[in-house]
Amino acid sequence: MGISDERDSGTAGAWAALGGAPELVRRVRFTGAGDLEEGPLPVRELARATVSVCGLAAGELAAARGAGAPGDAPPLVVDEGAVATAFVSERHLRVEGRAPVTFAPLSGFWQAADGWVRTHANYPHHRAALVRSLGLPSATPEALRAAVAARTAVEVQELAYGAGGLAVAVTREYGAPQPLVECVRPAGARGRTLGAAPSGRPATGVRVLDLTRVIAGPVATRTLGLLGADVLRIDSPGLPEADDAYADTGFGKRSARLDLTAPGDRAVFEGLLAEADVVVSGYRPGALERLGLGAADLLERRPGLVVAELCAWGWTGPWAARRGFDSLVQAGYGIAARCAGAGGVPGVLPAQALDHGTGYLVAAGVLRALAGGGGQRLRFSLAGTASWLVRDLAPVPGAGGAYEAEPWLREAGSGYGVVRHAASPFGEWERGPSRWGTDAAAWLPR
């Protein structure tokens, strides 16, 4: 399939939401096929639009660092096969030939007395909370199925939430509208002046403190790492990470563990923060504020920082402080019901598109903020991406066409052994991921 110059309303809308100059959208061209078998919602449009704006933002930063004016750059060619493969990267992952574990036995849809519930119990602490909240006699699917069937969907949801677990009643109505991105630039704020950057690596020399987990945030930061940034992910020693999750999203970064409530570790973190250019966080609203590390706190101390915040349910409203994942937002936002199959059983999007799409949007927002001199606060949410998907996006004209993932699969050595992984739509990482939490909590020399 040749290169198409068809205009893309999804890219134009996302680029406008990020504050980009509308004429730059004319640079985007599409090639290849990338049928995600999207079903009733325009997932293909979401995928290629979010990758496109990330590419436009990378070009803008390259221009700001001496590579010419953004409008003078060659066309941005987006291969839809690469996009489709990357959007299901976790499915293509193989670790020493082994397929990953994606959803645990207690994660999924369960029929309640008056509808359906979606649970998420992939992490041990979430599984324990779900078992405890419903008084399960054992942590088995059979016990969970019986307990949910005896209660209303909202009752299960609230019991789980109250105990620190994760369950969401499947709703038929779309959730409240949410913005795709919120951008605030404090008056007079400006970051470190960035010099020239190598071709294809416009974020070279940028230090990114990564405080994210699971998919959306790590997709953003692995993309920034591929584009040249020094990305250091920091996790709490008390929150375990799944090896398979990090084997997929740990490319382009290093990873260390610090307890921010321990004086020694907090001092190390403060040292990292003092030399960071970007902070990307995936904590629920209010969580970092309790540690004096909220976006307002960080920008007051370091007005030139770029602070990108990501949450599940949006930044205002009764659900803002709740935990959430892509699958749960699909359930609570009306998407799972829209994708229902035979017999009314709820369904899912053909990819964890809210996660992946939001990840590329976060990376795009960070790149644009750096191109503008830093000093910005950006907010994103899975619910914002869901709102955009169900309300604003239209299907791409014409069929996407079947595609082969094989041209976009690679092998690399890693801390977990040889991993097969999906390539980035923007090129190749220099190496595979280390093991989670085993790197030094220090920046690389500039």
Side-chain angles (χ1 to χ4, degrees):
M1 185 178 293
I3 295 176
S4 168
D5 64 354
E6 64 184 79
R7 296 296 173 247
D8 178 10
S9 62
T11 298
W15 189 239
L18 290 163
E23 63 272 15
L24 295 184
V25 176
R26 293 195 294 267
R27 288 186 51 220
V28 179
R29 302 289 185 272
F30 297 98
T31 189
D35 185 2
L36 280 165
E37 300 177 358
E38 60 189 38
L41 292 168
V43 177
R44 176 187 167 209
E45 178 70 344
L46 181 151
R48 67 183 207 160
T50 54
V51 170
S52 294
V53 297
C54 191
L56 288 173
E60 198 172 48
L61 180 58
R65 301 189 71 175
D72 297 334
L76 170 65
V77 179
V78 177
D79 192 296
E80 294 204 56
V83 172
T85 305
F87 256 65
V88 290
S89 63
E90 62 277 1
R91 296 184 200 166
H92 293 298
L93 179 72
R94 297 293 182 272
V95 180
E96 290 287 318
R98 175 185 59 79
V101 176
T102 52
F103 284 99
L106 298 190
S107 297
F109 292 109
W110 311 90
Q111 191 160 21
D114 62 346
W116 292 86
V117 173
R118 177 83 194 211
T119 59
H120 194 291
N122 288 7
Y123 288 98
H125 58 296
H126 291 152
R127 181 178 65 246
L130 183 64
V131 170
R132 184 172 62 251
S133 69
L134 298 177
L136 302 187
S138 62
T140 62
E142 294 75 19
L144 179 57
R145 184 176 295 109
V148 173
R151 296 174 170 89
T152 67
V154 170
E155 184 183 4
V156 173
Q157 168 187 286
E158 295 304 312
L159 284 170
Y161 171 68
L166 292 159
V168 172
V170 174
T171 59
R172 295 190 177 278
E173 301 297 323
Y174 290 148
Q178 297 277 354
L180 190 59
V181 56
E182 299 174 70
C183 306
V184 177
R185 182 189 290 275
R190 189 165 186 84
R192 179 173 60 87
T193 299
L194 300 173
S199 176
R201 294 174 65 80
T204 294
V206 172
R207 287 173 168 170
V208 178
L209 203 52
D210 178 2
L211 308 179
T212 70
R213 293 169 62 83
V214 195
I215 298 179
V219 164
T221 53
R222 78 180 180 188
T223 302
L224 294 172
L226 182 142
L227 295 172
D230 178 11
V231 180
L232 179 60
R233 174 171 159 173
I234 300 295
D235 285 276
S236 166
L239 286 177
E241 178 60 289
D243 285 347
D244 289 346
Y246 192 72
D248 178 45
T249 61
F251 288 84
K253 65 190 74 170
R254 293 167 298 115
S255 166
R257 286 178 277 184
L258 294 174
D259 180 355
L260 300 188
T261 65
D265 282 6
R266 179 61 180 256
V268 173
F269 182 83
E270 293 290 345
L272 296 171
L273 183 60
E275 297 185 347
D277 302 295
V278 177
V279 176
V280 184
S281 71
Y283 286 78
R284 287 174 291 145
L288 288 178
E289 281 78 1
R290 289 191 287 273
L291 293 171
L293 297 171
D297 302 308
L298 296 179
L299 285 166
E300 183 176 352
R301 292 158 57 183
R302 296 279 313 285
L305 271 177
V306 175
V307 181
E309 301 173 285
L310 166 68
C311 70
W313 298 104
W315 294 92
T316 59
W319 279 49
R322 294 202 174 195
R323 301 171 182 86
F325 294 95
D326 180 305
S327 60
L328 299 179
V329 175
Q330 288 189 43
Y333 218 80
I335 293 172
R338 180 73 184 275
C339 296
V345 179
V348 297
L349 297 175
Q352 294 192 70
L354 307 182
D355 266 332
H356 285 271
T358 306
Y360 288 111
L361 289 170
V362 171
V366 169
L367 294 165
R368 287 214 71 244
L370 290 169
Q376 279 198 42
R377 178 181 186 174
L378 309 168
R379 281 180 165 179
F380 303 83
S381 70
L382 301 185
T385 304
S387 182
W388 182 54
L389 172 65
V390 302
R391 290 184 170 87
D392 301 322
L393 290 181
V396 181
Y403 76 100
E404 292 292 332
E406 192 61 36
W408 306 105
L409 300 181
R410 306 287 185 267
E411 284 194 347
S414 78
Y416 302 97
V418 176
V419 294
R420 189 192 77 176
H421 64 96
S424 167
F426 301 109
E428 303 290 338
W429 289 282
E430 292 182 349
R431 63 185 67 85
S434 58
R435 292 189 73 87
W436 173 74
T438 61
D439 295 298
W443 296 116
L444 298 175
R446 281 198 173 108

